[in-house]
Amino acid sequence: GGSGYLGSHCVQQLLEKGYTVHATTRKLEKAEHLKQLKHADINLKIFVADLLTPGSFDEAFNGCESVLHTASPFFVGGDNYQKDILLKPALDGTRNVLEACRKANVKRVALTASTACVYVWYGKYDETHVMTEADWSDEEAVVKDENWYTHSKIEAEKFAWEFSKRDDCTFKLSVMNPCLIIGPMLQPVLNTSCKVICNFVGMNEIANECKAFVDVRDVAEAHVNQIEKDLNDESWGKRYCLVGGSPHFKEVAGWVKTYLSENDMGAAAEKVPTTVSSKLNPPKLGAPPPHPLKYDVSRSETLLGIKYKPVEESIRSNVASLIELGFLK
Ligand code: NAP
């Protein structure tokens, strides 16, 4: 999934460290931006592969020691929001990717899951609950609510853990569970999580809730640091919740407004609301609104060495990318 938002940052970090990288995409045009990365001319090879086609990743993984499996459809709602469109590529895709890893005798796999697998509780816990890697989302409630993106991520993560226990599994597995990812964009298209920041411009009022965010550079670093670990390292075989902070949307709107103004985008800045909704949404992800998510990310700090960037900095760099790419006119 090297062409996507997170995938592109993983490719960038790996290239900067001097690795030879095989990136995959469904269409070569989608990966054009990767060719501009430092060292891409010598150390990057791009392959066409589709999660839905068995054997599709075999050629790309040939000769690879480690695999970062970031590819999965990420969208919520809209006309195409149907179970199969999300579940099939996530689950069958994870099966195809892990089978290809096994065939290629891959030794290390870092798989991108999500906090969608961890904190979609629909109010099961109150605001005092501290989220850790021991938590799992309430899958029954997720299915009842037809929350198909979350369902796809839970099923794919569970499948990966089962696969890693098989006798014929050749690799050590760790799973990354990031919350909403923001920060600078390397790809030219607007991905789902960066759209959340874009949507502040022209919004009627601010939702009275907090949101957990993490910087894309920290998430990529967690994947890269994991695959650099020795096979006997204690970091393997674990989930990692990746969260940089849980600010109120009011604070986020304020940062977006400020950074737009600072970048001569006064008209757009004026369209960022300051009024907070008087309505409270029902609980769904993490703490019930308007409370912030309480979380413990010490495992990722201790075992993977992640030093989280402040959310404010991630918003600043995200706004800069959105302006540069023309998404915030
Ligand atoms: P993105 O920019 O939309 O990237 C999605 C990636 O998945 C693209 O590389 C895309 O490749 C690939 N993909 C989708 N369907 C595919 C298929 N049928 N076959 C092959 N590849 C396919 O989204 P992202 O934010 O980087 O997401 C990356 C991963 O992070 C996903 O696993 C997502 O669930 C997870 N995640 C994201 C967030 C977030 O807030 N962004 C939070 C938690 C977890 P193409 O080039 O072929 O389109």
Side-chain angles (χ1 to χ4, degrees), residues 156-170:
E157 184 183 349
K158 282 184 176 171
F159 176 83
W161 285 123
E162 283 306 312
F163 194 103
S164 72
K165 289 183 209 139
R166 279 168 45 171
D167 289 342
D168 62 349
C169 180
T170 59

Side-chain angles (χ1 to χ4, degrees), residues 127 207-210 248 279-292:
E127 65 274 18
N208 190 6
E209 59 191 65
C210 294
H248 193 281
K279 185 179 110 204
L280 278 183
N281 287 323
K284 189 167 169 180
L285 317 179
H291 302 284

Side-chain angles (χ1 to χ4, degrees), residues 138-151:
D138 183 343
E139 200 171 4
E140 221 176 285
V142 164
V143 172
K144 202 169 153 211
D145 191 34
E146 302 189 346
N147 189 344
W148 302 130
Y149 170 68
T150 295
H151 184 50

Side-chain angles (χ1 to χ4, degrees), residues 283-318:
K284 189 167 169 180
L285 317 179
H291 302 284
L293 172 75
K294 284 196 166 62
Y295 57 89
D296 178 356
V297 288
S298 54
R299 182 184 281 182
S300 61
E301 292 169 326
T302 312
L303 297 184
L304 299 179
I306 303 303
K307 292 186 177 69
Y308 288 96
K309 290 179 183 49
V311 177
E312 195 174 343
E313 152 54 23
S314 311
I315 304 272
R316 180 194 290 275
S317 51
N318 206 155

Side-chain angles (χ1 to χ4, degrees), residues 47 49 114 131 145 157 254 265 269 300:
F47 294 81
S114 172
M131 178 187 81
D145 191 34
E157 184 183 349
M265 300 281 290
S300 61

